[in-house]
Amino acid sequence: MELDGALTAQSLDEANPSQADTDAFRVLSSDIAAGVGVLSTVLRRRDYAATVSSFLSVSYDPPTLLVSVYEESRICEAVTASGTWALSLLSNDHRGTVNWLASPGNPVEGLLAQVPFRRGPSTSSAVISSALAWFELKTVAVHPAATHQLIVGQVLSMGRDVPAGSATDPLIHFGGGYERLRR
């Protein structure tokens, strides 16, 4: 399989993918464009937050979202333990926040000290200021999936911090980096 030029078809051993299979998947799946958000929660009076790009709307009735998080991460442990969380969808103006919350090894104490946010009305989780949209959720199911947990939440409250129709610059994760959606 060639990763720099044209790719040839490759079958995987489902039970035991090779390191080459894993590396090829990482390269190919980086071409999935995805929105960028911040997942946050409060556990034992401490804020937890992380940048995420694996989330989706599951249902409109009742309003339900899903987020995928690495099972050994602090945010996964905190969200599953607290049972409530927030998801803030971000614009290109939030790159600094996104990079900070995506940094491995950032501190637990004072994590949000340099991030503009307010408390959500239903969960008190951090809602990032000027979010294109935000949702507060209660966990209704958690499903293991390989090295991740799929956390399904029913929406408790939602809103936007920008006027309707002005959310024209969402931040997108594509090709291993952050990009603007050009219209």
Side-chain angles (χ1 to χ4, degrees), residues 87 118 127 131-136 155 157-162:
L87 178 65
R118 62 182 166 71
V127 172
L132 299 178
W134 57 266
F135 306 89
E136 288 186 286
V155 176
S157 67
M158 59 189 164
R160 70 171 72 240
D161 288 352
V162 295

Side-chain angles (χ1 to χ4, degrees), residues 27-166:
V27 169
L28 294 170
S29 67
S30 74
D31 287 338
I32 299 170
V36 178
V38 167
L39 173 65
S40 66
T41 193
V42 177
L43 180 64
R44 295 191 262 317
R45 297 188 315 247
R46 178 178 284 160
D47 287 306
Y48 292 83
T51 299
V52 293
S53 60
S54 295
F55 54 86
L56 60 97
S57 169
V58 173
S59 173
Y60 297 122
D61 187 17
T64 306
L65 293 171
L66 173 150
V67 65
S68 174
V69 292
Y70 181 58
E71 69 184 345
E72 294 182 16
S73 65
R74 290 186 302 213
I75 191 68
C76 183
E77 180 181 325
V79 167
T80 56
S82 74
T84 61
W85 41 286
L87 178 65
S88 301
L89 307 184
L90 304 182
S91 73
N92 189 59
D93 293 339
H94 291 101
R95 282 183 188 244
T97 297
V98 166
N99 289 331
W100 169 247
L101 294 174
S103 300
N106 52 21
V108 173
E109 292 298 329
L111 176 67
L112 296 176
Q114 65 186 36
V115 176
F117 74 95
R118 62 182 166 71
R119 298 280 171 201
S122 297
T123 69
S124 293
S125 296
V127 172
I128 305 303
S129 296
S130 301
L132 299 178
W134 57 266
F135 306 89
E136 288 186 286
L137 306 102
K138 71 174 180 178
T139 301
V140 295
V142 178
H143 303 283
T147 60
H148 284 60
Q149 296 287 325
L150 304 179
I151 303 170
V152 181
Q154 187 171 340
V155 176
L156 300 172
S157 67
M158 59 189 164
R160 70 171 72 240
D161 288 352
V162 295
S166 68

